[in-house]
């Protein structure tokens, strides 16, 4: 899950002399959690500052999906420790998110500069936890079995596009994945709460919502409802013009949901459906619960219902035991489906996962080469998809103004592609028709009409 919303960059009038800074790593779920952390801290009398050096409290909202992401967190903690020493400051470092959840007590033991470790399900308790830290305690709050339903205060980073978390956690056990351990079991918010939140967002002028969850396609089980019903209810809300959702699991991507997508034109014609591998042998070892043929049949059905649908995916290369033939099956699948775009990852060993115990771990070079091959192949396909749009008129939600040239705007199409064009900065937050004139593999250039 990543990237169509801006990083949290907010400025708030100081109400007290306590300040905080949040650095967010990883997925959109973390971005959304950071907005809630900011909201809760501001309610507690803190004000937000633009850099870690100025802050009394630095929150690192971390990601542990792959080793690289986790290592980045440790090097940042080290850098903060140095800063602390040089400045002789009494800054509190708080570690939130998936590394906090995964490493909790170990993080505390490893670094005295860390005063608070808290998981995503403890955000609403922050005032109490911070109070204890201010009283001199070092606090760990990483229980994954609670979830407040009502969203806490949230300082949204964008006035037109909002993230709305609809569920948290995951009940699947994909062999490579730490998420079930870090985010806990699946719990959905009550649909009435989600509908009320989106209605309120629409009243405040939001035009796009992105529904977030580790597996939104299995939303609603604990409330006797499902994602299709939720989408229908949200689709009926006036003012909301575009609904996005991420991320989905192929085994839960049902006919009923596809039919609902076809009935709800405000739901963006973009489907992110992680395949992970094109080899049935690897899919079985990953514990994904579907075969490539079953996945492809779903893609065929949804494409027949929604012509022009842009489909993107996640793929892991170099999973333990992946042979050249397995990897070729992945390339064949990518070729056959013709993804609009994809996120490719090289398999990363994660603590406590089943994949660690499997045989056939591959060396770094093999994984690097396979990833490079996959990404090069996709780049050519994405370029073709983008080039096919040259000459056409597309509907763009204007997201921002270029920092270097205020007449240059950028925005996204329904399919998630980024477009740049000249226009009035006052257009930000509105939909514009843009004639596409040029395409690269990363963005479109156009002229507003
Ligand atoms: N190694 C590599 N990629 C991973 N992902 C999840 N866990 C791992 C891992 N251990 C990828 C999957 C998932 C995406 C969010 O991250 O492709 O869909
Ligand atoms: Fe991880 Fe699989 Fe759950 Fe996705 S569905 S969060 S990959 S365990």
């Amino acid at each position: 899950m990543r990237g169509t919303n801006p990083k949290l960059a907010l400025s708030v009038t100081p109400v007290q002399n306590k300040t905080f800074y949040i650095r967010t790593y990883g997925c959109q779920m973390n971005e959304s959690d950071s907005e809630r952390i900011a909201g809760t801290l501001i309610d507690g009398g803190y004000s937000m500052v633009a850099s870690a050096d100025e802050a009394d409290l630095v929150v690192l909202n971390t990601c542990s999906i792959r080793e690289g992401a986790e290592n980045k967190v440790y090097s940042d903690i080290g850098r903060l420790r140095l800063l602390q020493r040089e400045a002789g400051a009494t800054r509190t470092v708080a570690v939130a998110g998936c590394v906090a959840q995964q490493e909790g007590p170990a993080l505390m033991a490893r670094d005295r500069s860390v005063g608070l470790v808290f998981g995503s399900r403890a955000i609403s308790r922050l005032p109490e936890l911070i109070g204890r830290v201010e009283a001199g305690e070092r606090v760990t709050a990483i229980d994954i079995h609670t979830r407040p339903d009502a969203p806490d205060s949230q300082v949204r980073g964008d006035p037109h596009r909002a993230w709305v978390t609809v569920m948290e956690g995951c009940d699947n056990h994909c062999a490579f994945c730490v998420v079930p351990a870090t985010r806990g079991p699946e719990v959905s918010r009550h649909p009435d709460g989600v509908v009320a939140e989106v209605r309120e967002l629409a009243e405040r002028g939001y035009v796009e919502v992105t529904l977030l969850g580790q597996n939104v396609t299995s939303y609603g089980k604990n409330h006797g409802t499902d994602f299709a019903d939720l989408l229908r209810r949200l689709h009926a809300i006036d003012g909301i013009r575009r609904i996005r959702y991420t991320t989905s699991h192929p085994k839960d991507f049902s006919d009923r949901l596809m039919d609902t997508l076809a009935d709800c034109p405000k739901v963006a014609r973009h489907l992110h459906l992680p395949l992970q591998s094109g080899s049935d042998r690897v899919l079985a070892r990953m514990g994904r619960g579907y075969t490539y043929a079953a996945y492809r049949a779903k893609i065929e059905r949804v494409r027949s219902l929604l012509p022009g649908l842009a489909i993107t995916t996640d793929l892991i290369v170099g999973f333990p035991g992946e042979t050249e033939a397995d990897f070729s099956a992945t390339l064949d699948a990518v070729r056959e489906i013709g993804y609009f775009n994809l996120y490719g990852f090289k398999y990363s060993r994660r603590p406590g996962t089943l994949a660690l115990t499997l045989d056939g771990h591959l060396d770094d070079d093999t994984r690097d080469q396979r990833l490079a091959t996959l990404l090069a192949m996709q780049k050519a396909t994405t370029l073709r998809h983008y080039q096919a749009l040259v000459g056409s008129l597309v509907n763009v939600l204007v997201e921002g103004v270029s920092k270097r040239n205020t007449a240059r705007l950028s925005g996204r199409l329904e399919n998630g592609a980024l477009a740049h064009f000249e226009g009035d900065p006052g257009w930000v937050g509105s939909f514009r028709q843009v004639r596409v004139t040029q395409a690269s593999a990363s963005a479109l250039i156009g002229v507003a009409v």
Side-chain angles (χ1 to χ4, degrees):
M1 300 202 274
R2 56 197 74 67
T4 60
N5 276 293
K7 294 273 170 193
L8 193 61
L10 308 150
S11 63
V12 179
T13 316
V15 290
Q16 228 192 41
N17 51 5
K18 285 273 181 192
T19 55
F20 73 95
Y21 172 79
I22 306 180
R23 168 138 197 219
T24 308
Y25 308 73
C27 67
Q28 291 166 331
M29 204 80 175
N30 271 11
E31 295 288 345
S32 173
D33 284 349
S34 286
E35 293 185 342
R36 292 173 51 224
I37 294 170
T40 310
L41 288 173
I42 286 166
D43 283 355
Y46 274 73
S47 58
M48 189 181 302
V49 289
S51 77
D53 330 10
E54 308 162 47
D56 298 311
L57 170 69
V58 176
V59 182
L60 302 177
N61 191 12
T62 64
C63 169
S64 66
I65 193 92
R66 284 170 293 276
E67 205 178 351
E70 193 175 332
N71 288 343
K72 214 167 356 147
V73 173
Y74 293 128
S75 71
D76 282 358
I77 295 177
R79 216 169 302 136
L80 282 170
R81 197 189 315 118
L82 282 180
L83 199 76
Q84 194 115 325
R85 250 187 239 141
E86 277 164 21
T90 51
R91 176 178 298 115
T92 301
V93 176
V95 183
C98 289
V99 177
Q101 207 75 65
Q102 182 184 293
E103 300 297 322
L107 261 173
M108 277 290 190
R110 157 184 186 144
D111 204 316
R112 295 287 313 168
S113 67
V114 175
L116 170 63
V117 171
F118 66 100
S120 53
R121 300 193 189 200
I123 295 173
S124 60
R125 290 175 50 213
L126 260 184
E128 171 223 323
L129 303 176
I130 300 263
R132 283 164 56 192
V133 174
E134 284 174 349
E137 204 182 324
R138 296 180 76 216
V139 179
T140 304
I142 53 172
D143 182 4
I144 50 174
H145 295 283
T146 54
R147 178 72 182 171
D149 183 57
D152 320 294
S153 291
Q154 188 157 353
V155 176
R156 296 192 180 270
D158 188 288
H160 310 289
R161 297 169 301 131
W163 285 308
V164 176
T165 299
V166 300
M167 51 95 68
E168 169 90 355
C170 181
D171 282 347
N172 295 314
H173 294 282
C174 300
F176 49 80
C177 189
V178 283
V179 165
T182 60
R183 292 263 174 186
E186 184 182 302
V187 191
S188 296
R189 286 179 58 197
H190 196 284
D192 292 350
V194 177
V195 169
E197 186 182 344
V198 174
R199 206 172 274 140
E200 195 219 309
L201 287 166
E203 279 160 13
R204 284 165 52 196
Y206 281 83
V207 289
E208 179 183 284
V209 290
T210 302
L211 310 178
L212 296 179
Q214 255 72 44
N215 178 9
V216 293
T217 40
S218 87
Y219 168 84
K221 290 201 195 93
N222 51 316
H223 299 293
T225 181
D226 67 7
F227 192 56
D229 275 344
L230 181 69
L231 278 180
R232 281 187 196 276
R233 288 184 65 184
L234 298 178
H235 192 263
I237 296 175
D238 285 341
I240 296 299
R241 297 187 48 198
R242 197 183 259 176
I243 301 172
R244 298 187 183 278
Y245 58 97
T246 194
T247 188
S248 308
H249 194 299
K251 74 177 168 46
D252 302 311
F253 189 62
S254 62
D255 285 359
R256 187 177 137 79
L257 177 54
M258 294 183 214
D259 296 340
T260 301
L261 297 175
D263 284 349
C264 297
K266 290 203 259 179
V267 181
R269 277 11 191 172
H270 171 204
L271 168 66
H272 184 70
L273 198 62
L275 172 63
Q276 310 299 3
S277 170
S279 153
D280 287 346
R281 205 181 65 86
V282 175
L283 286 171
R285 280 166 68 88
M286 286 176 165
R288 290 287 291 173
Y290 53 85
T291 59
Y292 173 61
Y295 179 97
R296 197 190 45 209
K298 292 195 184 208
I299 295 286
E300 277 164 15
R301 184 169 191 275
V302 73
R303 274 185 165 152
S304 72
L305 290 171
L306 296 163
L309 178 70
I311 300 173
T312 56
T313 201
D314 291 342
L315 288 158
I316 295 178
V317 299
F319 186 75
E322 184 189 75
T323 61
E324 277 298 333
D326 293 322
F327 176 59
S328 293
T330 293
L331 295 180
D332 290 345
V334 168
R335 219 173 273 122
E336 183 170 47
I337 289 174
Y339 287 109
F340 193 70
N341 214 337
L342 64 78
Y343 298 96
F345 305 104
K346 64 177 182 169
Y347 167 71
S348 170
R349 297 161 176 258
R350 300 288 60 217
T353 56
L354 181 70
L356 275 187
T357 65
L358 296 177
D359 51 13
H361 282 258
L362 299 172
D363 60 60
D364 228 19
D365 280 355
T366 308
R367 285 179 293 145
D368 280 339
Q369 274 167 23
R370 287 183 187 174
L371 183 60
T373 306
L374 173 68
L375 295 183
M377 188 170 126
Q378 182 58 39
K379 195 170 174 190
T381 311
T382 297
L383 180 62
R384 274 202 301 281
H385 282 300
Y386 278 28
Q387 280 170 338
L389 291 168
V390 173
S392 64
L393 210 52
V394 295
N395 192 24
V396 176
L397 171 54
V398 187
E399 294 187 355
V401 178
S402 157
K403 284 201 185 86
R404 268 172 287 154
N405 174 0
T406 53
R408 196 170 153 91
L409 308 178
S410 61
R412 280 183 200 271
L413 283 61
E414 221 184 313
N415 60 23
L418 187 66
H420 302 293
F421 48 94
E422 307 247 303
D424 180 340
W427 292 353
V428 172
S430 67
F431 287 87
R432 312 299 304 194
Q433 295 289 306
V434 171
R435 172 89 56 200
V436 180
T437 54
Q438 278 176 59
S440 74
S442 56
L444 302 167
I445 308 280
V447 178
V449 296

